[in-house]
Amino acid sequence: MTDAVAEQAAFSRKCAIIAAQAADEKKATDIMVQEVRELIGVTDYFVIATAANSRQVDAIIDEIEDELREKAGIKPSHREVSPDGSWSLLDYGNIVVHVFMPETREYYRLEALWNDAPTVDLAAEAGLSDLTYSDRIAKMLGKTPA
C-alpha cells in the first residue's frame, strides 16, 4: 500500500467514525460501520444506523453532515431521501451513510448483504460504549442486545 493509499484509507476510517459518533449524538441505534472496500470497490465504508421515526432520520443525517463538514472538511456528493422519509443516504465517495427507520432497515438488511465485511469496533475506536442494538444486529456483531 502506497503512502497516499494508506492516508486515504486512514481518512476514510476517520470520517466513518465521525459519522458514527454524530449518529450516536442524535440517539441513533444499531450503529455499525462496515469496511467494504475489498468487497465492492466503490466506497471504503458503510455507516448504517437506525432512527425511531422520519424526524429522527432527518436529525441524524443533518448532524452527520454538519460534523463531517466541520471535523473532516467534506461535503456529500449526493444526498438521497426516500419519499416517505423512512430512509436517507449521504454519499461522500469514500464513505456512504445510511439511516433507516426500523421497518425499512429490517426490509433491506443492507448490513447482511456485506456480512463478510469487517466491522469497526466503535467502543474501542470511537469511544461509543453505550450503544443500543436490536437482537438481530447484536447477534451479527457478536454483542449482547440492550
Side-chain angles (χ1 to χ4, degrees):
M1 188 181 293
T2 67
D3 286 347
V5 172
E7 284 179 30
Q8 179 60 42
F11 181 71
S12 295
R13 192 173 192 94
K14 173 187 167 189
C15 291
I17 289 169
I18 290 168
Q21 290 167 327
D24 181 58
E25 281 295 312
K26 291 297 179 181
K27 309 295 185 215
T29 60
D30 286 339
I31 302 168
M32 63 185 301
V33 175
Q34 290 180 300
E35 185 177 343
V36 295
R37 176 186 315 112
E38 300 296 323
L39 297 174
I40 62 176
V42 296
T43 191
D44 295 337
Y45 292 91
F46 280 160
V47 179
I48 309 169
T50 302
N53 53 53
S54 62
R55 288 180 61 161
Q56 189 184 22
V57 169
D58 291 342
I60 293 166
I61 287 289
D62 289 345
E63 183 73 9
I64 291 169
E65 194 170 356
D66 289 347
E67 289 294 304
L68 282 170
R69 184 175 51 254
E70 290 174 20
K71 294 180 179 174
I74 61 173
K75 294 180 181 179
S77 60
H78 181 72
R79 182 177 180 156
E80 191 170 330
V81 180
S82 65
D84 65 358
S86 67
W87 167 82
S88 286
L89 170 144
L90 293 171
D91 183 351
Y92 288 91
N94 60 333
I95 69 166
V96 177
V97 177
H98 301 268
V99 180
F100 295 99
M101 286 177 30
E103 306 79 26
T104 308
R105 183 156 182 186
E106 185 62 29
Y107 178 79
Y108 286 105
R109 292 182 174 232
L110 187 61
E111 62 282 328
L113 291 175
W114 311 109
N115 64 353
D116 290 339
T119 57
V120 173
D121 182 344
L122 293 174
E125 290 193 49
L128 302 177
S129 57
D130 285 336
L131 296 174
T132 302
Y133 291 104
S134 65
D135 290 346
R136 182 176 69 83
I137 302 299
K139 183 177 179 185
M140 183 177 190
L141 295 173
K143 299 188 179 294
T144 304

